[in-house]
Amino acid sequence: MENPFPDRLAAEVRTRRGSLRLSQRDLAELAGVSERFVRFVEQGKRTVQLDSLLALLDTLGLELRVQTRTSTAARALSGVRDGGGQRGHGELPGHGEPADGPAARP
């Protein structure tokens, strides 16, 4: 199954950078990352450093959110419990919050 996230992220970054009228070099300098890194993000490269990505998104006024999804896999994981409904080791804190719950921030 293909993961569309890197392509969506690339498009969002390119669009936002364009709307701010920043060159890749300008954005790199503002975010404290290399111009090459900006290029990789905008190309949808599958392996990027999370801390650098977060700095880039912060500079653009964008945020990366982690939220519960409704896929079959996520529903299956939500059934993992230990001892009568207590949170299991495989469950993430915040499980069960609404889809528009808090943003993940470092």
Side-chain angles (χ1 to χ4, degrees):
M1 182 165 131
E2 189 174 317
N3 181 358
F5 178 75
D7 296 329
R8 286 183 47 216
L9 178 65
E12 288 290 331
V13 168
R14 276 192 312 269
T15 299
R16 180 68 173 160
R17 180 178 61 79
S19 71
L20 294 172
R21 296 183 178 167
L22 293 171
S23 68
Q24 287 181 337
R25 176 176 290 172
D26 292 338
L27 176 56
E29 289 176 7
L30 288 169
V33 300
S34 70
E35 186 176 348
R36 182 175 184 222
F37 180 81
V38 173
R39 205 168 38 254
F40 282 170
V41 171
E42 290 189 1
Q43 291 170 354
K45 185 172 171 72
R46 286 354 189 219
T47 56
V48 295
Q49 294 294 319
L50 184 58
D51 57 343
S52 297
L53 176 61
L54 291 173
L56 187 76
L57 296 176
D58 187 54
T59 300
L60 292 170
L62 299 171
E63 65 182 12
L64 183 62
R65 296 172 70 83
V66 176
Q67 51 194 46
T68 304
R69 48 181 170 161
T70 58
S71 72
T72 303
R75 284 193 300 276
L77 285 175
S78 70
V80 176
R81 301 269 185 210
D82 66 346
Q86 297 297 316
R87 183 173 290 165
H89 292 291
E91 246 179 291
L92 296 174
H95 170 76
E97 291 179 1
D100 60 345
R105 301 301 293 183

